[in-house]
Each structure stands twice: as C-alpha cells, then as structure tokens.
Amino acid sequence: MNVPSSITAPVTGAVGRFFSGVGLLLRGIGLYVRSPGLMLLGIVPALLSGALFVGAFATLVYFVDDLAALVTPFADDWSTTARNLVRVIAGLAFLGLGGLLGVLTFTAVTLVIGDPFYEKISERVEERYGGTPGAVEVPFWGSLRRSVVDSLRLVAISVLVGIPLFAAGFIPVVGQTVVPVIGAAVGGWFLALELTGAPFYRRGMRLPDRRALLKADRPTALGFGVAVFVCFLIPLGAVLIMPAAVAGATLLARRSLGQSVAEPRRPGGLSDPFDQPAGAPPRPVGER
C-alpha cells in the first residue's frame, strides 16, 4: 500500500506536539477504565508476560555483579575504590540495557499473547471515533504471523541500538544522565511502532507504512511512546497500563492517518461502545 510521503502535522511547536502525544495515552487510560470487562481481559495477558519478565529481570539483578566483573577484567589490578566504581557503572549499564530491552520485548510478547483481547480494545476505539476507513479482512493466523515477524524485527533493531547505549553507559556522568534520556526516547519510539500495529494491520498496512506515517509527526509519536515507556518502568505499571496503551495507540494511528480523534457525539441516541459489555451491539442511551 502506498503511504503519503508526508502528513501535515498540527500547527504547533514540537514541545506542544510531544505533550499532545502524552495526552493520547491519558485519553487511552480514560477510555479503558470505562469498560471493566475489557479491562479484566486486557490485564490477563499482561500478567502472564509480566511474571515472566519480572523473573528474568530479577535474575539479571542477582547476577549483575558477576556480569560487571566479567566485562571489566582490566580493573582486576586496580585499587579497590577504582575497581568498585567502574563495576558499579558497568552494573548500571547492564541494568539500563536490560530495562530497555525488557520493556520492548515485554510489549512484543504481550501483544502476541493477548492479540485477540487487544484487537478487541483497538476495534472498540475505532467504533467510538467513526469506524475504520479502508479496513481490509485480515485472517487471524496471518495477522498473528505478521505481528510476530514485525515485532522480532523491532526487537532486533532495538538490540542493535541498545548495544552502543550500553557502551555509552560506561562514560562517567554522561552514562548515568544523558544516556537514560536517549534510551527513553529510543524505547518510546519503538513502543509507538509496536503498539500501533493492530490499527495499521486493520487497514492492510505493514511496519514500513506505519514507520513512515509516525515519522511524519515524530514529536507526537515520541510523546506517546515515552509516556508509555516511563509508565512501564513503574512496578506493575506495564501490566496495568498495557491495555490502555493499546487504546491510546489506536488514537495515535488515527491521528497519523488524518482521521478524527475528536470526542464524538453519539448519533441517534446511541451509547458509547466503551460503556457496554464486550461484543454487545450499540444500545439507545437510557436503555438498560
């Protein structure tokens, strides 16, 4: 599918667009908490993958001293203070790289595990804002296969980016200040790409398409992605925020495609799709 070479970005500064991206996540949270049934379904796959990744990160923390010593053999003959300092820096670099890769791979694995649930959440957002223009029929297994392949590509790219960030983490001061900020920006960008997969697949568009469209308004995509990234670093944040992030990502995809994300007025007295049980047809307002 052809993708426009450029999308007209909102006439605001980059900072304003960044915070409008943060606002998309907040709107996603607001939409999601209005549907308790979907909230419960959306948390289940995040809990499963969350338990796996908490265990993996705890293992990294347990062995981080050994790993730091392994990559700094040159410090064996240094004074105790100098050796401990360089190994603390190495340990922080390992934890930073582990956190970056953990957030990205958590998202990829959770999206695969919870594909039917997150697809339903994304569809309900689309229904609320006027449906899906240009929708195509996507078989479940074909969609799952493409989602896995694209997620693996994104994780592979993030590993390649993470290696120089890991190396930069050894630089005193810069490695503990500038590098984490760069890591959050890189992680946020990849999260935005991963989380918008469902609404773009629904329109027959693949990873190169969504990369081009999100790049056209990068500050907004970064604002959304960085907000998700920061939330995922909070204990249990990834589990609780993941479904809402899918809802916010659907708004981001619609915005990047030039489609409405304005709060709609329900025509004909119909209630909001998010106020109904999953799978229920729209009902007139006031009907119980």
Side-chain angles (χ1 to χ4, degrees):
M1 176 175 291
N2 293 328
V3 180
S5 58
S6 63
I7 300 293
T8 302
V11 186
T12 58
V15 174
R17 285 150 56 197
F18 180 91
F19 282 105
S20 72
V22 175
L24 293 178
L25 175 60
L26 297 177
R27 290 176 62 184
I29 294 172
L31 288 170
Y32 191 58
V33 297
R34 293 172 59 182
S35 183
L38 280 182
M39 178 181 290
L40 180 61
L41 289 176
I43 286 176
V44 169
L47 279 172
L48 294 175
S49 56
L52 174 66
F53 280 89
V54 166
F57 194 76
T59 302
L60 174 62
V61 171
Y62 183 81
F63 288 106
V64 71
D65 290 340
D66 296 332
L67 291 171
L70 183 65
V71 299
T72 57
F74 53 84
D76 288 344
D77 299 327
W78 293 7
S79 67
T80 301
T81 301
R83 182 173 63 249
N84 289 343
L85 177 61
V86 75
R87 287 180 175 168
V88 166
I89 293 173
L92 291 173
F94 267 113
L95 293 177
L97 178 63
L100 172 63
L101 298 182
V103 166
L104 296 175
T105 52
F106 167 85
T107 304
V109 170
T110 305
L111 287 174
V112 170
I113 293 174
D115 185 73
F117 306 126
Y118 298 134
E119 178 68 25
K120 176 59 67 176
I121 292 170
S122 182
E123 286 178 356
R124 294 282 281 276
V125 176
E126 299 267 30
E127 290 173 15
R128 175 183 173 86
Y129 292 93
T132 309
V136 298
E137 186 66 30
V138 182
F140 171 75
W141 291 112
S143 172
L144 183 62
R145 177 181 58 81
R146 280 180 282 183
S147 176
V148 170
V149 170
D150 285 350
S151 292
L152 288 174
R153 288 172 62 187
L154 285 170
V155 170
I157 294 171
S158 68
V159 169
L160 293 176
V161 174
I163 290 173
L165 287 176
F166 169 72
F170 286 90
I171 303 173
V173 183
V174 172
Q176 293 73 55
T177 54
V178 177
V179 172
V181 173
I182 296 174
V186 170
W189 172 248
F190 284 121
L191 281 177
L193 285 172
E194 280 191 306
L195 289 165
T196 52
F200 280 110
Y201 287 144
R202 200 174 297 120
R203 294 164 172 82
M205 304 171 78
R206 294 292 302 275
L207 178 58
D209 303 321
R210 66 181 190 261
R211 183 187 293 118
L213 285 162
L214 293 179
K215 185 178 179 180
D217 190 8
R218 193 187 296 271
T220 301
L222 277 176
F224 171 78
V226 169
V228 175
F229 186 88
V230 171
C231 288
F232 278 14
L233 294 178
I234 301 170
L236 293 180
V239 172
L240 298 175
I241 294 296
M242 181 69 183
V246 172
T250 304
L251 295 176
L252 175 62
R254 290 183 64 87
R255 175 168 172 158
S256 71
L257 290 161
Q259 295 164 4
S260 175
V261 293
E263 287 298 321
R265 293 182 179 179
R266 309 310 303 174
L270 295 180
S271 63
D272 191 326
F274 268 81
D275 293 330
Q276 306 166 50
R283 64 174 183 261
V285 174
E287 183 179 311
R288 297 288 183 267

